[in-house]
Amino acid sequence: MSMDDKEKDPAALKEEGNTLFKAGDMPAAVCCYTKALKLSDSKADSAVLYRNRSACYLKLEEYNKAESDASKALDSDPGDVKARFRRAQAFLKLGRLDQAFLDAQRCAQLEPKNKAFQDLLRQLGAQIQQKSMQQKSTDARVQQMFSLLLDASANDGDRQKAAQNLVVLSREDAGAEQIFRNDGVKLIQKLLQSKQEDVVLSALRTLVGLCTGHQSRTMAIVNELRMGQLCTVMGSGASSVSLAACHLLQVMFEALTEGMKREIRGKDEAILPEPSMELRSMLRHLLEMLPASDVSGPGRDSAINLLVKQVPRKSLKNPDNSLTLWLIDQGLKKILEVAGTVPELTDGPPLTDNSHMSCSVLLGKLYDDLKSDKERENFNKHCEEYVQQHFSKSGIGPKLRAIQTVSVLLQGPSEVGNRTLELSGLIDAVISLCASEDITHQQVAVEAVIHAAGKAKRASFITANGVSLLKDLYKKSENDRIRVRALVGLCKLGSAGGTDFSMKQFAEGSTLKLAKQCRKWLCNQSLPPTSRRWSVEGLAYLTFDADVKEDLVEDKNALLAMCELAKSEDKTVLFAVGSTLVNCTNSYDVEKPDPQMVELAKYAKQHVPEEHPKDAPSYVEKRLKKLLEAGVVSALVCMVKQESPALTEACRECIARVFLALVDRQEDRGTVVAQGGGKALIPLASDNTDVGKIKAAQALAKISITSNPEIAFPGERIYEVVRPLVSLLSLECTLLQNFEALMALTNLAGISERLRQKIIKEKAVPKIEGYMFEEHELVRASATECMCNLVLSTEVQKLYLPTGNDRLKLLVLYSGEEDERLRKAAAGTLAMLTAEQPELCARIPGTTTHWLEIIQALLLSEISDLRHRGVIIVQNMMRAEKSLAETLMESEALEILSVLAKGGEGTPGAVSKAAQTCLDQAVEYGIIKTREGKEDCKESEH
């Protein structure tokens, strides 16, 4: 049958699916069964296909789909015991024990002697009984805590303890359900009105337990508590309460949005309405918080943070950006009101030092989420109208608001900021306000100049007109806030050439003087952190110059001060610190130009970028040592932990780049791990730019290769490392990244079966097999080593059993290669496979006509590890079949084994023992006789 005919024949597709299922290739089997279902017009055949696909989904741990397919099979044939058993298994995994028990009971009735059915029935009976006992115990505990919390006469200590116990209970499924069903939400509503901060925190954390991963409960809680009350709590003055409320709302958003993606929402299989109405209501309340004067600064920042996380699309592959368009329509003006607020003036809501940066991030993400020129033009129009409306008003206040808004836009959607900057008279007003005698006016104007200087369109204008102004402000101003900002403006303009040594904007030595002054401000503890943060901004620009990098790493006080700032409450410093460290470690990407193209450029008198001599690897290595000594790792770890919009993906990428540079030297990896670097890299590998994910994953690979992964990533964290490592097994990554990922996975695969299962679940096995064919010998060998550890898992062993592939042949051929590392890995895999799956032994002679030569070469190898692997393979083959033993004993293998069995110098005991076992097996088969036996034979012949 041709391939085209096969694709149209449901019976053939079903058979192919069965073959793939037996081979362990579940995704491909699912694909075949799905195609067959589309073509099948027989109800009975479809039922069998659904049943088979259900078995695949069970193996893939997609239990909702397994249950659904098994139910469809039972709809056609209620007596299908296999389908019912599979549904019971799916129900068990989904935690629906009562339904699982009913199905298992029916299976046992249909086939009373089936041991698997009886075992499942006993297992379910025990679990249901245990759950019932837990339920009764939980009921009593919940009632006891409720009584305490509602008892006005109880002392505060007892009530606080009861509230804490409620939090612990809410994290258990049974406890959360009991709290919810016993009108716990109404009680929690009363607790939220408490004057005691500890009680309010406990109430919020209990709600987190109730909502986590449960859409139906979350929808009920949102409707009962009302979003207004939660926003009031989040907007309160206490930062710890505000953060806890923010975390609760984040959990609620996740429960609602994740529930929309699942076929069945909640754990009770209830048919629920789409939660989009609740989501819009929650977002509307957050928008209302932004301009409200009674909302605290931290509460407003939390609201912005939630909007950043929830509104823009997580992936541009998702075509639906309707939520972003809705937010722009409903709330862009409210966001701009926060962006335009000048804290020193009285006509705006209270802000924190992070509020403007958070607005920039939100505006940038909303703009990036727009799909068409029409949508972007609408965004631009709204912003221009807002700025123009305030700038055209009389009085200085509205003009300052307009300029402040432009500054925020320049830090976020810079294209929009540039357009608003071009509004008539605005740039002139900025320049003139720089000369104002009012400190607030000056500060707003100078910051606008700094942010405009970083944008290509305006940089030349500012360079021509602003340098002299900034110099005057720096030299003549008596206020430190103005001087430090003017200094940053000069730094920004002085670094326009980037890392190109030949493109300097200012005279020789000017950047070093500016950097020295930045370090001086940075170390000045009498300045507020916001002013010191600007000095790090300056260094972020100036450290493009290698001389500046060298001076900075030599200034230990400046490094310590920068690290302390990175750990401070001021989140706006994060990107500046990250950028400075990227520059100092040279962890930015530099494309090496083609030498021929360089010569052509010189010939054509075109500019050719030049590298600074102090950016050579030897200088970079010394800088890395100095940074490690200054404690930069602990600063980076603190930066990763920050829950703030200021920790943007670009900032995360910077941190990932620096970590990768810090673990480049093997001897430094222990230091990075000891200070928490391994733990910090895990979230960086999942929540980052595409480049940042790869950098973080490569850093994880380097650590996993040379450190004990169980120490570097203790507990459950070790399982979180697998996915980033597997992501490096991609054609988009470099061969070095492929190689390091394979090495790291080899180490992980050798630790435990659970880790091997995690690697298999991440679909790494086909990728690893692909790299076993790689031309580069190190990559090929490392992939084979990884496979050697993975075949400890039965699931991988079964991939070698079907006859329609060359997996076994490849191992036999690789066992005869010249590359010692590859031979060891291949022979080790072969030894393991032939021990665990004896039926493979009989297929070895069919792989290649040279199989006997390859095995004899292993036995004769001067490398003891290869000899040992060879003897084990022979031992396994001889035990498997007498005919194989006869073939081996008729060859030179008999003589070689006889020599190896004698042991002696150069032959390890394990090798001689295994060789003797082979000879003993041959004697047992009667293929050869012992020396005494031979003598007896000879005597009887005379």
Side-chain angles (χ1 to χ4, degrees), residues 74 89 147 188 241 243 263-264 274 351 366 379 390 445 463 491 590 756 766-767 775 780 790 847 852 917:
L74 288 168
Q89 290 174 301
S147 300
I188 291 166
V241 171
L243 284 171
E263 292 175 16
I264 297 173
E274 288 290 337
L351 304 184
L366 291 174
F379 190 98
H390 286 280
T463 305
C491 293
V590 180
R756 286 190 287 275
K767 295 178 180 180
E775 288 183 16
R780 187 169 65 239
L790 283 172
T847 56
L852 199 52
T917 303

Side-chain angles (χ1 to χ4, degrees), residues 52-316:
N52 290 358
R53 195 170 70 173
S54 176
C56 295
Y57 284 136
L58 281 172
K59 293 280 188 183
L60 292 167
E61 297 181 20
E62 294 184 38
Y63 302 119
N64 276 322
K65 290 181 179 178
E67 181 270 321
S68 176
D69 273 6
S71 294
K72 286 171 186 173
L74 288 168
D75 288 343
S76 297
D77 180 8
D80 188 338
V81 71
K82 284 186 180 178
R84 194 168 293 279
F85 181 60
R86 280 163 196 166
R87 190 170 73 171
Q89 290 174 301
F91 278 144
L92 171 62
K93 293 293 185 181
L94 290 167
R96 287 145 65 179
L97 300 181
D98 293 344
Q99 290 164 293
F101 185 82
L102 289 173
D103 274 344
Q105 195 174 46
R106 181 64 179 144
C107 288
Q109 287 169 353
L110 291 168
E111 292 186 17
K113 294 183 179 179
N114 190 310
K115 189 175 180 295
F117 298 167
Q118 296 294 342
D119 288 345
L120 180 61
L121 202 56
R122 276 193 292 273
Q123 182 188 350
L124 284 163
Q127 287 192 20
I128 289 169
Q129 189 176 5
Q130 185 182 2
K131 187 178 179 182
S132 176
M133 290 170 66
Q134 284 177 344
Q135 198 88 13
K136 288 175 184 174
S137 169
T138 303
D139 282 350
R141 288 161 66 195
V142 169
Q143 289 302 328
Q144 184 184 9
M145 279 177 263
F146 278 3
S147 300
L148 255 177
L149 289 165
L150 291 169
D151 185 0
S153 63
N155 67 57
D156 290 343
D158 287 343
R159 292 179 76 184
Q160 284 182 9
K161 190 175 180 181
Q164 289 292 345
N165 289 339
L166 207 60
V167 175
V168 175
L169 201 59
S170 71
R171 290 171 184 161
E172 304 168 7
D173 277 345
E177 195 60 28
Q178 285 308 106
I179 293 169
F180 183 72
R181 292 190 185 281
N182 281 283
D183 281 337
V185 178
K186 286 182 181 175
L187 172 67
I188 291 166
Q189 196 166 16
K190 292 179 182 177
L191 297 180
L192 289 173
Q193 296 162 6
S194 169
K195 301 294 183 187
Q196 291 179 284
E197 190 174 311
D198 287 349
V199 173
V200 176
L201 285 171
S202 297
L204 291 168
R205 288 165 185 161
T206 302
L207 287 170
V208 167
L210 296 181
C211 294
T212 300
H214 204 299
Q215 190 201 38
S216 57
R217 275 206 298 258
T218 302
M219 287 179 73
I221 290 168
V222 169
N223 288 317
E224 189 166 341
L225 280 182
R226 299 294 172 194
M227 189 65 184
Q229 183 174 1
L230 292 175
C231 286
T232 301
V233 174
M234 190 167 75
S236 66
S239 61
S240 57
V241 171
S242 178
L243 284 171
C246 179
H247 177 56
L248 168 61
L249 290 173
Q250 175 68 26
V251 167
M252 286 178 159
F253 274 118
E254 286 172 0
L256 293 175
T257 52
E258 285 301 311
M260 289 172 74
K261 297 173 189 174
R262 291 198 293 265
E263 292 175 16
I264 297 173
R265 304 183 190 92
K267 295 172 185 175
D268 48 6
E269 205 186 356
I271 303 301
L272 298 166
E274 288 290 337
S276 53
M277 189 171 73
E278 281 81 5
L279 284 169
R280 295 282 170 103
S281 170
M282 290 169 75
L283 292 171
R284 191 176 285 109
H285 276 91
L286 291 176
L287 285 173
E288 294 299 329
M289 287 181 70
L290 299 187
S293 57
D294 59 343
V295 173
S296 68
R300 183 170 289 97
D301 286 354
S302 293
I304 297 170
N305 194 6
L306 284 166
L307 291 170
V308 168
K309 288 181 177 179
Q310 296 306 323
V311 178
R313 290 171 293 170
K314 300 291 184 290
S315 168
L316 295 181

Side-chain angles (χ1 to χ4, degrees), residues 811 825-836 868-870 872-873 876:
L811 291 176
T829 312
L830 206 54
M832 183 70 65
L833 279 170
T834 50
E836 296 297 324
H868 189 211
R869 285 162 170 77
I872 296 299
I873 294 167
N876 294 338

Side-chain angles (χ1 to χ4, degrees), residues 333-395:
K333 187 179 177 183
K334 293 180 174 68
I335 299 166
L336 292 174
E337 281 184 47
V338 180
T341 298
V342 180
E344 288 76 9
L345 303 180
T346 56
D347 65 338
L351 304 184
T352 69
D353 294 334
N354 304 306
S355 299
H356 282 145
M357 175 63 79
S358 298
C359 277
S360 293
V361 173
L362 176 56
L363 289 164
K365 282 189 172 288
L366 291 174
Y367 188 73
D368 290 342
D369 201 36
L370 300 177
K371 296 192 293 185
S372 66
D373 289 341
K374 184 180 177 182
E375 291 173 358
R376 284 184 277 274
E377 186 57 39
N378 179 56
F379 190 98
N380 272 301
K381 185 183 173 186
H382 279 300
C383 293
E384 286 179 21
E385 284 176 357
Y386 181 85
V387 172
Q388 185 68 59
Q389 176 192 344
H390 286 280
F391 189 70
S392 59
K393 288 180 182 178
S394 59

